[in-house]
Amino acid sequence: MLTTEKPRKCPTMPEVIDELKKMTDIGFPIVAMSLVGYLKNMILVVCMGRLGSLELAGGALAIGFTNITGYSVLSGLAMGMEPICSQAFGSRNLSVASQTLQRTIVMLLLASLPIGLIWVNLEPLMLSIHQEPDITKLASIYCRFSIPDLIANSLLHPLRVYLRSKGTTWPLMWCTLISVVLHLPITIFLTFYLHLGVPGIAISTFISNFNTLLFILCYMYFTRVPKDGESLYVPLSPTPLSSTPSIGEEWGILLRLAIPSCLGVCLEWWWYEFMTILAGYLSEPRVALATSAIVIQTTSLMYTLPTALSASVSTRVGNELGAGRPEKARLATAVAVGSALVSSLFGLLLTTLGREAWARVFTEDERVLKLTMVVLPVIGLCELANCPQTTSCGILRGSARPGIGAGINFYSFYLVGAPVAILLGFVWKIGFVGLCYGLLAAQVTCVVSILTVVYKTDWERELLKAKDLVGKSDALAHAINQTVKCEEEGVGFLKANQSRACTASC
């Protein structure tokens, strides 16, 4: 039943530790999944490099293009269901979570149609802006063979968000790990033994994602009646007529959350591609682009922890608001931001004390090494802002405010960061270091703005918004809780007095 707690000024240490344990249980598997995904991308790049420099260039162009036009869009749209599902699970309004999952899958499949058309027409598009024909041809082949991956991601992203909103992240980690273990031999077999080359790499990628999808669906099927009595497959029972919105209104709510979530993801993702493009216009483009590649790999690795914190706090805030506990949501927010500030220090230490060793992992070119060792401490300073900023975006998602995060990302990266990068890099002739200072300016602006919003959050008001979004009336919630209790008592009685077959049927 939805109950409102009396606000307390300061949480106790046991409460903080308990909240930290809950967030760790959700976030640790997400960190592991991110690292596994990082390994998967490394496998792709290594295999492309083994094929030759032309294949590596074409594959790199294709991967960047598919990330910008496809994967970032689908990932961002899927995040729109996160506040609805996390709050729905918190309020035990399971039919809303189930319906939102289905609508998000349909939305992503529809969004995949124009994305697929863009991928099919990559070659004429690239040739029209005077890209190298040989590289463009290989990139176009990769994109065409990657189109089935749009279907896989249209199903994978919503299922991941659905289970994550429920707090079920360990099975996601194991499913992803098994598929990546299979990914290496599949890629080698298709690429080198069958001599498929670049198409083989693209095919292995969507096979790996379909394997992950299959494992997740198998997990959901075999755990459809968990020990706690809550099924992952929830009957789509209607809410009372007085509080049932129309289908159009439900789609409108989802789109109002999905579109800003998508923009928030894409605006930050695209800025790194924008920085790479600018690096190609500097006085020494080869050195700048090579350093840019190392910077992107570094930030991708460091991004794993903020991503996990963001997902964890989004789930915790959404669950607690849905359950009618705004003080618990406030506690989750404080713990997450504190953890982000502490963990960001490790990123700074990695990029300052270990910059030379890390740079030598990627290159032995002295000019690239020298530039990389200059910019990595700047990237470490960016991480001081990026970690709490990314975590705070999760707080805004969990409280169904992704539009605020999208707006902050837009003016931080494009109205502050981009002009600073261009001014320092090209007008003041600082070069690639100036572009990195532009990124730092964007991150600082972003974190100051978003932490201000989080600090000023009225959690009682967010509770009321959660009730409007997924909540039930007190009478309905009480009835549901009584029903659940009766079902649990009935199941316990049957387990004690009837056969295993009867218990399973119940």
Side-chain angles (χ1 to χ4, degrees):
M1 183 171 63
L2 294 173
T3 57
T4 304
E5 300 176 344
K6 293 182 180 180
R8 295 191 307 181
K9 292 183 178 180
C10 187
T12 63
M13 184 56 66
E15 289 176 330
V16 172
I17 294 174
D18 181 62
E19 181 61 40
L20 191 59
K21 288 180 179 178
K22 291 178 181 177
M23 294 187 64
T24 302
D25 190 53
I26 297 173
F28 181 81
I30 298 175
V31 172
M33 280 191 294
S34 299
L35 293 174
V36 167
Y38 185 83
L39 177 62
K40 179 182 174 183
N41 292 332
M42 291 285 288
I43 292 172
L44 294 180
V45 175
V46 169
C47 288
M48 289 175 182
R50 294 283 183 177
L51 290 173
S53 59
L54 178 62
E55 287 79 2
L56 179 58
L61 175 62
I63 290 173
F65 184 80
T66 53
N67 282 337
I68 292 173
T69 60
Y71 298 130
S72 62
V73 175
L74 295 181
S75 176
L77 287 174
M79 285 185 179
M81 66 179 285
E82 194 166 354
I84 303 176
C85 286
S86 60
Q87 293 183 15
F89 280 122
S91 67
R92 300 181 70 87
N93 197 344
L94 305 183
S95 65
V96 169
S98 181
Q99 290 169 349
T100 302
L101 170 64
Q102 297 173 46
R103 292 192 181 99
T104 304
I105 290 174
V106 172
M107 178 177 63
L108 264 59
L109 288 172
L110 291 176
S112 297
L113 295 177
I115 294 172
L117 290 175
I118 294 173
W119 288 10
V120 167
N121 295 287
L122 170 64
E123 188 170 5
L125 179 62
M126 291 291 106
L127 291 176
S128 66
I129 57 176
H130 309 292
Q131 289 289 321
E132 178 67 31
D134 292 339
I135 296 176
T136 297
K137 184 176 181 179
L138 279 175
S140 177
I141 292 173
Y142 182 95
C143 286
R144 291 185 180 184
F145 278 93
S146 296
I147 288 176
D149 203 27
L150 292 172
I151 300 174
N153 278 274
S154 296
L155 299 171
L156 264 180
H157 284 306
L159 287 173
R160 284 170 174 162
V161 174
Y162 180 82
L163 292 176
R164 192 173 70 219
S165 299
K166 189 182 175 70
T168 309
T169 54
W170 285 94
L172 289 177
M173 182 195 72
W174 292 117
C175 292
T176 304
L177 179 60
I178 294 171
S179 66
V180 171
V181 169
L182 296 175
H183 177 66
L184 178 59
I186 291 173
T187 304
I188 294 174
F189 177 75
L190 293 175
T191 305
F192 300 104
Y193 283 88
L194 294 185
H195 303 289
L196 295 180
V198 170
I201 294 176
I203 293 171
S204 70
T205 301
F206 73 72
I207 288 177
S208 177
N209 283 331
F210 273 112
N211 283 338
T212 306
L213 176 63
L214 176 63
F215 297 146
I216 291 175
L217 290 176
C218 288
Y219 163 77
M220 293 179 68
Y221 176 78
F222 288 110
T223 59
R224 61 191 183 277
V225 184
K227 294 180 181 179
D228 61 2
E230 292 183 9
S231 174
L232 289 174
Y233 293 108
V234 183
L236 302 183
S237 55
T239 53
L241 294 177
S242 60
S243 62
T244 302
S246 66
I247 294 178
E249 290 175 334
E250 291 171 345
W251 272 102
I253 292 171
L254 178 59
L255 290 174
R256 284 196 297 271
L257 293 172
I259 293 175
S261 297
C262 180
L263 288 174
V265 171
C266 292
L267 287 172
E268 185 172 356
W269 199 331
W270 292 344
W271 203 92
Y272 287 92
E273 303 297 335
F274 168 74
M275 186 172 71
T276 302
I277 293 171
L278 288 180
Y281 292 100
L282 293 171
S283 58
E284 293 185 324
R286 187 185 68 81
V287 176
L289 286 171
T291 305
S292 175
I294 297 174
V295 166
I296 290 175
Q297 290 295 319
T298 305
T299 54
S300 297
L301 181 61
M302 292 194 299
Y303 201 66
T304 56
L305 188 55
T307 300
L309 282 171
S310 178
S312 300
V313 73
S314 176
T315 298
R316 292 292 302 132
V317 167
N319 288 167
E320 297 299 347
L321 287 177
R325 297 189 288 262
E327 283 304 308
K328 290 287 187 180
R330 189 198 307 271
L331 173 62
T333 296
V335 171
V337 172
S339 301
L341 292 172
V342 173
S343 62
S344 64
L345 295 174
F346 291 100
L348 178 61
L349 291 175
L350 171 67
T351 54
T352 51
L353 301 180
R355 54 184 172 173
E356 182 175 0
W358 178 250
R360 290 190 181 277
V361 172
F362 297 93
T363 184
E364 291 295 333
D365 187 302
E366 289 300 324
R367 290 192 298 169
V368 177
L369 277 174
K370 183 178 179 180
L371 181 58
T372 302
M373 291 174 63
V374 171
V375 301
L376 279 181
V378 182
I379 299 302
L381 292 175
C382 291
E383 183 62 18
L384 284 178
N386 177 61
C387 195
Q389 173 253 324
T390 303
T391 302
S392 298
C393 284
I395 297 168
L396 296 183
R397 285 200 313 275
S399 54
R401 295 178 290 170
I404 297 176
I408 291 174
N409 277 352
F410 174 72
Y411 75 72
S412 297
F413 284 93
Y414 294 91
L415 301 184
V416 176
V420 170
I422 294 172
L423 178 66
L424 295 179
F426 296 93
V427 179
W428 289 2
K429 306 294 183 181
I430 300 179
F432 187 75
V433 180
L435 301 185
C436 293
Y437 279 122
L439 175 61
L440 178 60
Q443 293 284 16
V444 170
T445 304
C446 195
V447 72
V448 170
S449 301
I450 204 166
L451 285 178
T452 301
V453 172
V454 169
Y455 178 75
K456 293 183 176 180
T457 296
D458 184 347
W459 290 105
E460 297 297 331
R461 182 171 177 268
E462 297 306 320
L463 172 63
L464 296 177
K465 288 167 58 181
K467 288 182 178 180
D468 290 337
L469 184 64
V470 298
K472 308 178 182 73
S473 64
D474 289 344
L476 179 61
H478 179 73
I480 289 177
N481 279 342
Q482 291 300 319
T483 302
V484 170
K485 288 180 181 178
C486 291
E487 289 176 352
E488 291 173 349
E489 290 173 359
V491 170
F493 177 80
L494 288 171
K495 285 182 178 178
N497 297 280
Q498 295 184 356
S499 67
R500 184 176 298 177
C502 291
T503 304
S505 65
C506 292

